[in-house]
Amino acid sequence: MSATQQPKVSIIIVNRNGRKWLPNLLDSIRNQEYKNIEIFFVDNQSTDDSYSFVRQNYHEMIVIQNGGNFGFGKSANAGARAATGEFLIFLNEDMMLHKQMITNLLKCYTMHENVAIVVAKEVDYDDHKIVNTRGYLFDLLGNGRPNQKKHWTYSEKFFYAPGAPCFIKKTIFDILGGFEESFFLYYEDVDLSWKARLMGYNIFFCEDAIIYHKGAGTTNRQSDFTFFITRRNALYLLSKNYSLAILYFIIPLYFIQALLNSFFSVIFELNSRYIYIYPKVFLNVLRRLPELKIKRKLIQKKRVVNDFYIIRSMSPYYLGPFPLNLINQPIRLLIKMFKYEKK
Protein backbone atom coordinates (compact mmCIF):
# COMPACT_ATOMS: atom_id res chain seq x y z
CA MET A 1 0.00 0.00 0.00
CA SER A 2 1.42 3.38 -1.01
CA ALA A 3 1.70 6.24 1.48
CA THR A 4 -1.22 8.06 -0.16
CA GLN A 5 -3.45 4.99 0.26
CA GLN A 6 -2.64 4.68 3.95
CA PRO A 7 -4.88 6.53 6.44
CA LYS A 8 -3.29 9.82 7.43
CA VAL A 9 -1.97 10.00 10.99
CA SER A 10 -1.64 13.38 12.70
CA ILE A 11 1.16 13.58 15.26
CA ILE A 12 0.71 16.26 17.91
CA ILE A 13 3.69 17.18 20.08
CA VAL A 14 3.09 19.31 23.17
CA ASN A 15 6.26 21.12 24.22
CA ARG A 16 7.36 23.32 27.09
CA ASN A 17 11.12 24.00 27.32
CA GLY A 18 11.97 20.63 25.83
CA ARG A 19 14.73 21.77 23.48
CA LYS A 20 17.29 19.18 24.63
CA TRP A 21 14.91 16.31 23.87
CA LEU A 22 13.67 17.50 20.50
CA PRO A 23 16.38 16.23 18.11
CA ASN A 24 15.91 12.59 19.17
CA LEU A 25 12.12 12.83 19.07
CA LEU A 26 11.80 14.66 15.77
CA ASP A 27 14.42 12.53 14.02
CA SER A 28 12.64 9.37 15.20
CA ILE A 29 9.44 10.70 13.61
CA ARG A 30 11.26 11.42 10.36
CA ASN A 31 12.58 7.85 10.39
CA GLN A 32 9.16 6.23 10.79
CA GLU A 33 8.40 3.35 8.44
CA TYR A 34 4.87 4.78 8.14
CA LYS A 35 4.95 7.82 5.87
CA ASN A 36 1.44 9.27 5.56
CA ILE A 37 1.75 11.61 8.51
CA GLU A 38 1.45 15.27 9.38
CA ILE A 39 3.18 16.77 12.41
CA PHE A 40 1.97 19.55 14.70
CA PHE A 41 4.39 21.11 17.16
CA VAL A 42 2.42 22.94 19.86
CA ASP A 43 4.69 25.14 21.97
CA ASN A 44 3.61 26.43 25.37
CA GLN A 45 5.59 29.68 25.17
CA SER A 46 8.92 27.98 25.88
CA THR A 47 11.66 30.16 27.32
CA ASP A 48 14.40 28.08 25.70
CA ASP A 49 14.95 28.05 21.92
CA SER A 50 12.53 25.17 21.20
CA TYR A 51 10.36 27.24 18.87
CA SER A 52 13.19 28.66 16.75
CA PHE A 53 14.99 25.29 16.67
CA VAL A 54 11.97 23.55 15.13
CA ARG A 55 11.32 26.43 12.73
CA GLN A 56 14.89 26.34 11.43
CA ASN A 57 15.49 22.59 11.26
CA TYR A 58 12.14 20.83 10.72
CA HIS A 59 10.33 22.72 7.97
CA GLU A 60 7.78 19.94 7.44
CA MET A 61 6.24 20.58 10.86
CA ILE A 62 3.24 22.79 11.45
CA VAL A 63 4.10 24.98 14.43
CA ILE A 64 1.46 26.36 16.79
CA GLN A 65 2.79 28.82 19.35
CA ASN A 66 0.53 29.43 22.31
CA GLY A 67 0.34 32.83 23.96
CA GLY A 68 1.19 31.31 27.32
CA ASN A 69 1.76 28.01 29.09
CA PHE A 70 -1.64 26.40 28.56
CA GLY A 71 -0.71 22.97 29.89
CA PHE A 72 -1.10 19.62 28.12
CA GLY A 73 -4.84 19.22 27.57
CA LYS A 74 -5.60 22.61 26.03
CA SER A 75 -2.50 22.46 23.82
CA ALA A 76 -3.23 18.91 22.66
CA ASN A 77 -6.80 19.91 21.80
CA ALA A 78 -5.51 22.84 19.75
CA GLY A 79 -3.37 20.46 17.73
CA ALA A 80 -6.29 18.05 17.31
CA ARG A 81 -8.56 20.81 15.99
CA ALA A 82 -5.98 21.69 13.32
CA ALA A 83 -5.30 18.05 12.40
CA THR A 84 -6.62 16.58 9.16
CA GLY A 85 -5.62 12.95 9.79
CA GLU A 86 -7.96 10.04 10.41
CA PHE A 87 -5.93 9.11 13.49
CA LEU A 88 -4.20 11.19 16.18
CA ILE A 89 -1.05 10.46 18.17
CA PHE A 90 -0.20 12.74 21.10
CA LEU A 91 3.42 12.93 22.24
CA ASN A 92 5.57 14.60 24.87
CA GLU A 93 8.91 16.10 23.99
CA ASP A 94 10.94 13.61 26.07
CA MET A 95 10.11 10.62 23.85
CA MET A 96 11.58 8.65 20.94
CA LEU A 97 9.61 6.42 18.58
CA HIS A 98 10.64 2.97 17.41
CA LYS A 99 10.66 3.12 13.61
CA GLN A 100 7.66 0.76 13.34
CA MET A 101 5.58 2.26 16.15
CA ILE A 102 2.90 3.89 14.00
CA THR A 103 2.70 0.88 11.67
CA ASN A 104 2.15 -1.46 14.61
CA LEU A 105 -0.38 0.81 16.32
CA LEU A 106 -2.50 0.79 13.18
CA LYS A 107 -2.20 -3.00 12.91
CA CYS A 108 -3.41 -3.41 16.48
CA TYR A 109 -6.26 -0.98 15.89
CA THR A 110 -7.59 -2.98 12.95
CA MET A 111 -7.40 -6.26 14.90
CA HIS A 112 -10.14 -5.25 17.37
CA GLU A 113 -13.67 -3.89 17.29
CA ASN A 114 -15.15 -0.78 18.89
CA VAL A 115 -11.71 0.58 19.75
CA ALA A 116 -11.20 4.09 21.11
CA ILE A 117 -7.53 4.06 22.11
CA VAL A 118 -4.53 1.82 21.46
CA VAL A 119 -1.74 1.89 24.05
CA ALA A 120 1.92 1.60 23.07
CA LYS A 121 4.55 -0.10 25.21
CA GLU A 122 6.64 2.50 27.03
CA VAL A 123 10.29 1.53 27.37
CA ASP A 124 12.97 3.32 29.40
CA TYR A 125 14.60 6.12 27.43
CA ASP A 126 18.15 5.13 28.37
CA ASP A 127 17.91 1.38 29.02
CA HIS A 128 15.76 -0.23 26.34
CA LYS A 129 15.59 -3.50 28.27
CA ILE A 130 13.39 -1.91 30.93
CA VAL A 131 9.64 -1.68 30.28
CA ASN A 132 8.15 1.30 32.09
CA THR A 133 4.51 0.57 31.47
CA ARG A 134 1.90 -1.32 29.47
CA GLY A 135 -1.03 0.98 30.21
CA TYR A 136 -1.90 2.24 33.68
CA LEU A 137 -3.76 0.80 36.66
CA PHE A 138 -6.26 2.91 38.58
CA ASP A 139 -8.11 2.36 41.85
CA LEU A 140 -11.52 3.50 43.06
CA LEU A 141 -10.12 6.52 44.95
CA GLY A 142 -8.19 8.12 42.12
CA ASN A 143 -4.72 6.63 42.54
CA GLY A 144 -2.84 5.22 39.57
CA ARG A 145 0.41 3.49 38.74
CA PRO A 146 2.12 1.92 35.72
CA ASN A 147 1.18 -1.60 34.70
CA GLN A 148 4.37 -3.52 33.94
CA LYS A 149 2.91 -7.01 33.63
CA LYS A 150 3.17 -8.75 30.28
CA HIS A 151 0.31 -10.29 28.29
CA TRP A 152 -2.31 -7.92 29.69
CA THR A 153 -3.65 -7.16 26.24
CA TYR A 154 -7.35 -6.72 27.02
CA SER A 155 -8.93 -3.52 28.25
CA GLU A 156 -10.08 -5.14 31.52
CA LYS A 157 -6.46 -5.60 32.59
CA PHE A 158 -5.60 -1.91 32.88
CA PHE A 159 -7.76 1.17 33.22
CA TYR A 160 -6.34 4.03 31.22
CA ALA A 161 -4.01 5.01 28.43
CA PRO A 162 -1.42 7.75 28.98
CA GLY A 163 -2.09 11.08 27.33
CA ALA A 164 1.24 10.71 25.56
CA PRO A 165 1.58 8.47 23.71
CA CYS A 166 -2.13 8.27 22.96
CA PHE A 167 -3.33 6.78 19.65
CA ILE A 168 -6.97 7.48 18.91
CA LYS A 169 -9.29 7.93 15.95
CA LYS A 170 -10.03 11.61 15.44
CA THR A 171 -13.80 11.18 15.16
CA ILE A 172 -13.87 9.35 18.50
CA PHE A 173 -11.62 11.98 20.11
CA ASP A 174 -14.12 14.62 19.02
CA ILE A 175 -17.08 12.58 20.31
CA LEU A 176 -15.35 12.28 23.69
CA GLY A 177 -14.85 16.04 23.80
CA GLY A 178 -11.06 15.82 23.76
CA PHE A 179 -8.88 16.27 26.82
CA GLU A 180 -10.20 18.10 29.89
CA GLU A 181 -8.58 21.52 29.46
CA SER A 182 -9.16 22.76 33.00
CA PHE A 183 -6.80 20.11 34.43
CA PHE A 184 -3.72 21.89 33.00
CA LEU A 185 -1.50 18.86 33.70
CA TYR A 186 -2.10 15.28 34.89
CA TYR A 187 -5.27 13.15 34.90
CA GLU A 188 -6.58 14.46 31.58
CA ASP A 189 -5.53 11.06 30.20
CA VAL A 190 -7.47 9.20 32.90
CA ASP A 191 -10.49 11.36 32.12
CA LEU A 192 -10.29 10.64 28.38
CA SER A 193 -10.07 6.87 28.94
CA TRP A 194 -12.88 6.97 31.52
CA LYS A 195 -15.15 8.85 29.10
CA ALA A 196 -14.32 6.31 26.40
CA ARG A 197 -15.28 3.44 28.70
CA LEU A 198 -18.49 5.19 29.78
CA MET A 199 -19.48 5.47 26.14
CA GLY A 200 -18.86 1.76 25.56
CA TYR A 201 -15.52 1.94 23.75
CA ASN A 202 -12.58 -0.39 24.36
CA ILE A 203 -8.92 0.39 25.08
CA PHE A 204 -6.29 -2.06 23.91
CA PHE A 205 -2.57 -2.54 24.47
CA CYS A 206 -0.13 -3.21 21.62
CA GLU A 207 3.06 -5.02 22.66
CA ASP A 208 4.80 -4.42 19.34
CA ALA A 209 4.26 -0.64 19.30
CA ILE A 210 7.27 0.67 21.20
CA ILE A 211 8.09 4.16 22.42
CA TYR A 212 11.03 5.27 24.56
CA HIS A 213 10.09 7.70 27.33
CA LYS A 214 12.24 9.59 29.80
CA GLY A 215 9.32 10.60 32.01
CA ALA A 216 9.00 13.99 33.77
CA GLY A 217 11.66 15.31 31.40
CA THR A 218 10.32 18.85 31.73
CA THR A 219 8.20 18.70 34.91
CA ASN A 220 8.86 18.31 38.64
CA ARG A 221 6.61 15.58 40.02
CA GLN A 222 7.75 16.14 43.62
CA SER A 223 6.71 19.79 43.90
CA ASP A 224 3.84 21.06 46.03
CA PHE A 225 2.17 22.37 42.88
CA THR A 226 2.26 18.91 41.29
CA PHE A 227 0.80 17.31 44.41
CA PHE A 228 -1.96 19.91 44.56
CA ILE A 229 -2.89 19.61 40.91
CA THR A 230 -2.89 15.79 40.89
CA ARG A 231 -5.08 15.55 44.00
CA ARG A 232 -7.41 18.30 42.77
CA ASN A 233 -7.78 16.72 39.34
CA ALA A 234 -8.36 13.29 40.86
CA LEU A 235 -11.21 14.59 43.03
CA TYR A 236 -12.69 16.55 40.12
CA LEU A 237 -12.44 13.47 37.90
CA LEU A 238 -14.17 11.17 40.41
CA SER A 239 -16.92 13.74 41.04
CA LYS A 240 -17.60 14.14 37.33
CA ASN A 241 -17.50 10.57 36.08
CA TYR A 242 -18.98 8.35 38.82
CA SER A 243 -22.73 7.92 39.08
CA LEU A 244 -24.33 9.62 42.10
CA ALA A 245 -25.00 6.31 43.83
CA ILE A 246 -21.31 5.39 43.78
CA LEU A 247 -20.18 8.96 44.45
CA TYR A 248 -21.99 9.06 47.82
CA PHE A 249 -19.76 6.15 48.80
CA ILE A 250 -16.52 7.38 47.18
CA ILE A 251 -16.36 11.00 48.39
CA PRO A 252 -16.32 10.13 52.13
CA LEU A 253 -13.62 7.54 51.45
CA TYR A 254 -11.60 10.13 49.52
CA PHE A 255 -11.90 12.51 52.48
CA ILE A 256 -10.74 9.77 54.88
CA GLN A 257 -7.85 9.00 52.54
CA ALA A 258 -6.83 12.68 52.66
CA LEU A 259 -6.92 12.73 56.47
CA LEU A 260 -4.90 9.54 56.81
CA ASN A 261 -2.37 10.61 54.18
CA SER A 262 -1.89 13.90 56.03
CA PHE A 263 -1.45 12.17 59.37
CA PHE A 264 0.95 9.49 58.18
CA SER A 265 3.04 11.92 56.13
CA VAL A 266 3.85 13.77 59.35
CA ILE A 267 4.54 10.56 61.30
CA PHE A 268 6.60 8.65 58.74
CA GLU A 269 8.03 11.37 56.47
CA LEU A 270 8.14 14.38 58.82
CA ASN A 271 6.41 16.25 56.03
CA SER A 272 3.41 18.48 56.72
CA ARG A 273 2.60 19.50 53.14
CA TYR A 274 -0.47 17.24 52.91
CA ILE A 275 -2.00 19.07 55.86
CA TYR A 276 -2.10 22.43 54.11
CA ILE A 277 -2.49 21.25 50.49
CA TYR A 278 -5.52 18.98 50.90
CA PRO A 279 -7.75 21.81 52.24
CA LYS A 280 -6.78 23.84 49.14
CA VAL A 281 -7.80 20.88 46.99
CA PHE A 282 -11.27 20.64 48.54
CA LEU A 283 -11.83 24.41 48.45
CA ASN A 284 -10.77 24.61 44.80
CA VAL A 285 -13.20 21.87 43.77
CA LEU A 286 -16.00 23.47 45.81
CA ARG A 287 -15.43 26.80 44.03
CA ARG A 288 -15.74 25.02 40.71
CA LEU A 289 -18.98 23.18 41.53
CA PRO A 290 -21.14 25.09 39.00
CA GLU A 291 -18.73 24.20 36.19
CA LEU A 292 -18.43 20.64 37.53
CA LYS A 293 -22.20 20.14 37.52
CA ILE A 294 -22.45 21.17 33.86
CA LYS A 295 -19.64 18.85 32.75
CA ARG A 296 -20.97 16.04 34.90
CA LYS A 297 -24.42 16.35 33.32
CA LEU A 298 -22.91 16.13 29.84
CA ILE A 299 -20.86 12.99 30.45
CA GLN A 300 -23.57 11.22 32.46
CA LYS A 301 -26.03 11.87 29.64
CA LYS A 302 -23.70 10.13 27.17
CA ARG A 303 -22.92 7.05 29.28
CA VAL A 304 -24.07 3.68 27.95
CA VAL A 305 -22.60 1.43 30.69
CA ASN A 306 -23.04 1.37 34.46
CA ASP A 307 -20.35 1.89 37.10
CA PHE A 308 -20.02 -1.81 37.82
CA TYR A 309 -18.67 -2.23 34.29
CA ILE A 310 -16.24 0.65 34.90
CA ILE A 311 -15.10 -0.63 38.30
CA ARG A 312 -14.40 -4.06 36.80
CA SER A 313 -11.59 -2.43 34.83
CA MET A 314 -10.11 -0.78 37.92
CA SER A 315 -7.52 -2.29 40.20
CA PRO A 316 -8.94 -4.37 43.09
CA TYR A 317 -6.03 -3.06 45.19
CA TYR A 318 -5.45 0.35 46.77
CA LEU A 319 -2.69 2.09 44.79
CA GLY A 320 -2.13 5.09 47.02
CA PRO A 321 0.94 5.96 49.11
CA PHE A 322 2.47 4.14 52.08
CA PRO A 323 1.31 3.17 54.66
CA LEU A 324 -2.32 2.99 53.49
CA ASN A 325 -1.26 0.50 50.84
CA LEU A 326 -0.67 -1.98 53.68
CA ILE A 327 -4.40 -2.74 53.48
CA ASN A 328 -3.63 -4.61 50.27
CA GLN A 329 -2.31 -7.59 52.19
CA PRO A 330 -5.70 -8.56 53.69
CA ILE A 331 -7.35 -7.70 50.34
CA ARG A 332 -5.00 -10.10 48.56
CA LEU A 333 -5.80 -12.81 51.10
CA LEU A 334 -9.54 -12.33 50.55
CA ILE A 335 -9.11 -12.43 46.78
CA LYS A 336 -7.08 -15.62 47.08
CA MET A 337 -9.66 -17.12 49.46
CA PHE A 338 -12.55 -16.47 47.10
CA LYS A 339 -10.44 -17.12 43.98
CA TYR A 340 -11.46 -13.75 42.56
CA GLU A 341 -10.05 -13.09 39.12
CA LYS A 342 -10.90 -10.35 36.63
CA LYS A 343 -11.82 -11.79 33.26
Side-chain angles (χ1 to χ4, degrees), residues 290-306:
E291 167 201 323
L292 175 59
K293 287 179 179 178
I294 293 171
K295 292 183 177 180
R296 174 181 167 76
K297 185 177 181 179
L298 287 174
I299 187 60
Q300 295 301 321
K301 188 176 180 180
K302 292 180 179 180
R303 71 151 65 216
V304 298
V305 299
N306 61 37

Side-chain angles (χ1 to χ4, degrees), residues 94-284:
D94 59 341
M95 293 177 163
M96 286 190 300
L97 282 59
H98 185 279
K99 66 179 181 179
Q100 293 181 318
M101 191 194 83
I102 298 177
T103 300
N104 290 332
L105 283 171
L106 276 164
K107 284 181 180 177
C108 287
Y109 187 92
T110 58
M111 287 170 59
H112 303 287
E113 295 181 355
N114 201 33
V115 183
I117 303 170
V118 178
V119 182
K121 179 169 68 176
E122 287 189 42
V123 175
D124 187 82
Y125 195 88
D126 301 306
D127 186 347
H128 295 178
K129 295 180 181 178
I130 298 174
V131 176
N132 290 337
T133 180
R134 295 175 167 95
Y136 284 78
L137 307 175
F138 195 71
D139 70 17
L140 276 72
L141 296 182
N143 304 290
R145 74 177 182 200
N147 166 45
Q148 295 171 321
K149 292 185 178 181
K150 196 173 182 180
H151 303 311
W152 282 19
T153 55
Y154 298 99
S155 57
E156 288 81 9
K157 301 301 184 182
F158 62 89
F159 187 72
Y160 72 96
C166 176
F167 180 83
I168 184 170
K169 198 165 188 177
K170 188 178 189 300
T171 52
I172 295 178
F173 186 78
D174 293 338
I175 289 169
L176 298 179
F179 290 111
E180 173 56 61
E181 295 187 359
S182 68
F183 282 4
F184 186 72
L185 287 174
Y186 303 118
Y187 279 80
E188 65 282 299
D189 47 7
V190 188
D191 183 64
L192 187 73
S193 292
W194 198 328
K195 289 188 294 187
R197 291 185 181 281
L198 282 173
M199 294 185 197
Y201 292 107
N202 294 316
I203 304 169
F204 288 96
F205 168 70
C206 187
E207 178 76 18
D208 295 326
I210 300 170
I211 192 163
Y212 310 104
H213 190 192
K214 186 68 176 178
T218 57
T219 58
N220 179 6
R221 290 184 178 174
Q222 303 305 316
S223 69
D224 287 354
F225 172 75
T226 298
F227 180 77
F228 164 77
I229 206 168
T230 53
R231 292 298 85 201
R232 182 203 67 182
N233 291 352
L235 180 57
Y236 193 96
L237 172 87
L238 300 177
S239 303
K240 181 167 68 77
N241 292 337
Y242 272 128
S243 66
L244 274 179
I246 298 295
L247 201 56
Y248 288 136
F249 173 73
I250 291 294
I251 293 299
L253 287 179
Y254 190 92
F255 185 71
I256 293 170
Q257 173 187 240
L259 289 175
L260 292 176
N261 281 346
S262 301
F263 173 75
F264 286 121
S265 69
V266 174
I267 299 300
F268 289 96
E269 302 173 6
L270 302 179
N271 188 336
S272 61
R273 70 173 182 167
Y274 287 16
I275 294 175
Y276 68 84
I277 292 179
Y278 264 121
K280 293 180 180 179
V281 168
F282 287 106
L283 287 173
N284 185 276

